[in-house]
Amino acid sequence: MDNNKEKIKKDNKKAIPKFLLILLVCAVIGGVFGYSSVALSVSNWRDVFSNSVYEFLRIITPYISIISFTVLVLPAYIIYRKALKLADGWDGEEEDIPESIDKKLNLVILFISIATLVGFFGISCIMIVNCGAGGSVLAFISFIVVELLIAVIQQKAIDLTRRMNPEKQGSVYDTKFEKKWYESCDEAEKRNIGEAAYYSFRITTKSCIVLWCVAMFAHIAFNTGVFPIVLVLLIAGISQISYMVKAMKLQQSK
């Protein structure tokens, strides 16, 4: 026990200088941001920047989903077709073919996930900027069409994965798809999912700190209000609390 206490003290002592350095760097950055924000608030730079962003969004909003389709959804479909071709030609013996198919399908899911986020950003811009009746209709229709195509591609990718792994369960159109899919994974896959989820949790926590700083700076410089700050802290809170609650439940169950 004494040895463990000494080790804890040693680890803390070793980590303190780095921690203090990080605090110092953050303080300096905060000071620079604060000074810059005051300078911006007394100049017309804020209005010029806001008007430029607004004009850019007004022009690009009708075409966001179309751009997303060209850059993300169409390549995802092409990658899916390549994976399907490999699956159709697989004789069941070459072990590297299923791994290659999985990699391609993972890229498909990644691309369409990003495309979904871009699409929702585009539909949000309709409510923020005035791109005209024609632009709004084009943005809305293209959003619906692209999201339907995304759903179809996702379904085909999941179906191909189930074809290669018959033990997998769940339909992409089922509201309980994620639960059924996870339950059909083996122990190695569940371990990988757990490691990926923990990595995502860490990245989310660190990202929320950065986004909080950005939201604070944006409010001082552009008067964006407290709502973006609350949203960032809410996301951080949901991530932290849900993680701790689930961890406590798992610990109790064991």
Side-chain angles (χ1 to χ4, degrees), residues 6 11 25 37 60 78 82-83 91 97 106 144 179 181 203 216 219 239:
E6 290 299 323
D11 290 342
V25 171
S37 300
I60 199 174
I78 293 174
K82 291 181 179 179
D91 57 7
I97 296 298
N106 286 337
I144 296 298
K179 181 179 179 181
W181 187 270
I203 294 297
M216 290 286 290
H219 171 64
S239 177

Side-chain angles (χ1 to χ4, degrees), residues 63-158:
Y63 311 104
I64 287 179
S65 289
I66 298 174
I67 295 172
S68 173
F69 170 80
T70 305
V71 176
L72 295 167
V73 180
L74 186 58
Y77 180 72
I78 293 174
I79 295 172
Y80 161 75
R81 292 296 302 179
K82 291 181 179 179
L84 180 62
K85 184 176 180 180
L86 285 176
D88 290 338
W90 186 44
D91 57 7
E93 295 182 359
E94 296 184 55
E95 297 181 356
D96 59 331
I97 296 298
E99 182 178 353
S100 178
I101 293 174
D102 285 341
K103 289 181 179 180
K104 285 179 170 52
L105 293 179
N106 286 337
L107 279 178
V108 171
I109 298 300
L110 175 62
F111 280 20
I112 63 176
S113 296
I114 298 174
T116 300
L117 296 176
V118 173
F120 277 98
F121 171 76
I123 206 69
S124 300
C125 288
I126 297 178
M127 306 176 187
I128 299 174
V129 300
N130 181 17
C131 52
S136 298
V137 171
L138 176 60
F140 182 75
I141 292 177
S142 61
F143 169 78
I144 296 298
V145 172
V146 171
E147 291 304 314
L148 288 174
L149 291 174
I150 287 175
V152 172
I153 294 173
Q154 183 180 24
Q155 172 256 318
K156 289 183 175 297
I158 295 299

Side-chain angles (χ1 to χ4, degrees), residues 24-74:
L24 178 61
V25 171
C26 290
V28 172
I29 294 175
V32 173
F33 277 1
Y35 177 81
S36 301
S37 300
V38 173
L40 290 173
S41 64
V42 297
S43 69
N44 66 343
W45 186 89
R46 178 173 65 185
D47 294 334
V48 173
F49 181 79
S50 299
N51 292 335
S52 299
V53 171
Y54 182 90
E55 184 64 19
F56 174 76
L57 290 177
R58 188 187 67 81
I59 295 172
I60 199 174
T61 291
Y63 311 104
I64 287 179
S65 289
I66 298 174
I67 295 172
S68 173
F69 170 80
T70 305
V71 176
L72 295 167
V73 180
L74 186 58

Side-chain angles (χ1 to χ4, degrees), residues 200-213:
S200 176
F201 164 76
R202 290 172 54 205
I203 294 297
T204 301
T205 301
K206 295 177 180 179
S207 298
C208 283
I209 296 175
V210 176
L211 292 175
W212 175 79
C213 295

Side-chain angles (χ1 to χ4, degrees), residues 224-239:
T224 56
V226 73
F227 192 59
I229 300 172
V230 172
L231 284 181
V232 171
L233 295 178
L234 183 62
I235 293 172
I238 292 173
S239 177

Side-chain angles (χ1 to χ4, degrees), residues 1 65 71 87 104 117 132 136 160 169-170 189 193 197 225 240 243:
M1 184 66 69
S65 289
V71 176
K104 285 179 170 52
L117 296 176
S136 298
L160 182 55
Q169 299 295 325
E189 290 173 325
I193 292 173
Q240 294 279 346
Y243 175 83

